[in-house]
Amino acid sequence: MTFSDLLRVAPGSTPDLAGTDAAATPGFVGDKDAARARLKELKKELAEFQEKLWAEQGQSLLIVLQALDAGGKDGLIRKVATAFNPQGTRVTGFGVPTDEELRHDFLWRVHAATPGKGRIGVFNRSHYEDVLVVRVLELVPESVWQERYDQINAFESILAANRTRIVKFYLHVSRDEQRERFQKRLDNPEKHWKWSSGDLETRARWDDFRAAYTDALARCSTDHAPWFVIPADRKWYRDLAVAEILAETARDMDPHWPEVEEDLSGIVIPD
Ligand code: AMP
Ligand code: MG
């Protein structure tokens, strides 16, 4: 079984997040060192893929990352997304919307950040916040966020129809692991910048967030834009599993070197 098959939320199914062990390592037998060695190989493959994707100028790749606070999105970007040449890759973080963003529909700022042909986009948080934090903190009425699942599916199908491959990763950490990571941040002055007073508030709403994640993953995992649940308590497994799925996706996208019209075979560069 591929990592994609093992970790994908099957379209139409509801993931059991409470029953998913965040410290599990499905699909991998080996230790941390073996995983790191494999990651190195995968990053090489991903770098080669990106060069072809860029040269081909026909398809795009959109990687969506969602997690609770301290779920490891930043670490994952540092460890895995660095496989890609920064020329051709854009990481976009989505925070609390600005006044101008709030004057538009929730997909406005997201659509503007989608990758063009030949490019890779990484979303650090995404339009899913509009059915996650927005739902849990009741920032809009239920009648508004309930409509958004269908709107998200329609939006993603437009991107897919325009040859944007979409893969969405939910980094699943346990409550204990989050507590440890938060505590580490608080104990280290160099990590205080990462701390936000809202973090405790969202931790206190753990069950509500889990319910909101469950609905988002159940309602918006589609054939053209699947969700993957990545057990993320072990950072080495998290990085490996995401890299494996990206490599499987890359092989399936299979970009080709563009045809060159001229015959270059006889050309010798003069002194
Ligand atoms: P961070 O990822 O730590 O920089 O935090 C970004 C913050 O922005 C998080 O607390 C998110 O929940 C919040 N955020 C992102 N998108 C939205 C949104 N659409 N509405 C309200 N808050 C959001
Ligand atoms: Mg934060």
Side-chain angles (χ1 to χ4, degrees):
M1 246 213 204
T2 62
F3 277 82
S4 304
D5 289 335
L6 269 176
L7 301 174
R8 181 193 296 112
V9 177
S13 75
T14 301
D16 173 18
L17 296 182
T20 301
D21 180 5
T25 60
F28 190 71
V29 279
D31 59 6
K32 181 175 169 174
D33 289 342
R36 288 294 184 218
R38 173 77 184 138
L39 178 62
K40 221 172 154 185
E41 288 173 14
L42 288 165
K43 286 181 77 171
K44 207 167 152 247
E45 182 181 347
L46 289 172
E48 288 164 9
F49 155 75
Q50 191 218 14
E51 194 178 348
K52 267 193 179 169
L53 184 79
W54 175 264
E56 183 196 57
Q57 293 286 315
Q59 312 174 66
S60 321
L61 174 62
L62 174 59
I63 302 164
V64 172
L65 302 177
Q66 282 290 157
L68 292 173
D69 298 303
K73 301 188 302 306
D74 296 334
L76 179 84
I77 290 169
R78 207 170 51 242
K79 303 266 200 41
V80 178
T82 42
F84 302 128
N85 185 340
Q87 175 159 280
T89 307
R90 178 150 62 128
V91 180
T92 307
F94 293 95
V96 178
T98 63
D99 288 345
E100 191 187 15
E101 286 166 353
L102 284 172
R103 284 195 290 275
H104 293 80
D105 72 87
F106 75 104
L107 292 168
W108 180 71
R109 65 176 182 165
V110 180
H111 207 160
T114 54
K117 298 221 183 297
R119 283 149 209 268
I120 296 175
V122 181
F123 284 0
N124 184 342
R125 301 187 192 270
S126 66
H127 43 304
Y128 283 92
E129 291 293 331
D130 292 279
V131 290
L132 293 166
V133 69
V134 168
R135 160 175 161 169
V136 173
L137 301 186
E138 298 179 52
L139 303 179
V140 301
E142 175 167 358
S143 57
V144 172
W145 60 254
Q146 277 289 5
E147 298 285 332
R148 288 182 172 169
Y149 301 97
D150 289 345
Q151 293 166 356
I152 287 172
N153 287 337
F155 168 63
E156 292 178 353
S157 70
I158 292 170
L159 298 182
N162 286 278
R163 303 193 75 200
T164 296
R165 184 68 174 252
I166 307 167
V167 283
K168 304 180 292 199
F169 298 102
Y170 163 60
L171 310 182
H172 179 59
V173 286
S174 66
R175 202 171 149 80
D176 278 351
E177 180 68 19
Q178 190 195 50
R179 177 177 44 73
E180 271 180 37
R181 291 184 190 178
F182 273 172
Q183 196 61 55
K184 260 196 196 148
R185 278 183 191 177
L186 291 170
D187 293 346
N188 179 358
E190 290 183 3
K191 295 286 176 193
H192 283 180
W193 64 272
K194 276 200 160 191
W195 180 256
S196 131
S197 56
D199 289 354
L200 275 186
E201 191 191 342
T202 47
R203 178 170 168 81
R205 307 291 299 273
W206 188 269
D207 291 341
D208 296 329
F209 271 99
R210 195 166 54 201
Y213 265 102
T214 301
D215 277 356
L217 272 54
R219 294 172 74 171
C220 301
S221 194
T222 55
D223 283 330
H224 56 266
W227 269 109
F228 299 92
V229 176
I230 308 296
D233 276 8
R234 295 175 208 257
K235 296 172 180 171
W236 59 263
Y237 177 79
R238 170 199 76 197
D239 296 343
L240 176 80
V242 170
E244 292 277 11
I245 292 169
L246 290 176
E248 287 164 11
T249 305
R251 284 171 220 144
D252 194 51
M253 289 174 75
D254 192 23
H256 284 76
W257 300 118
E259 297 282 332
V260 179
E261 281 170 29
E262 251 178 296
D263 179 9
L264 305 181
S265 56
I267 300 178
V268 177
I269 307 297
D271 285 338

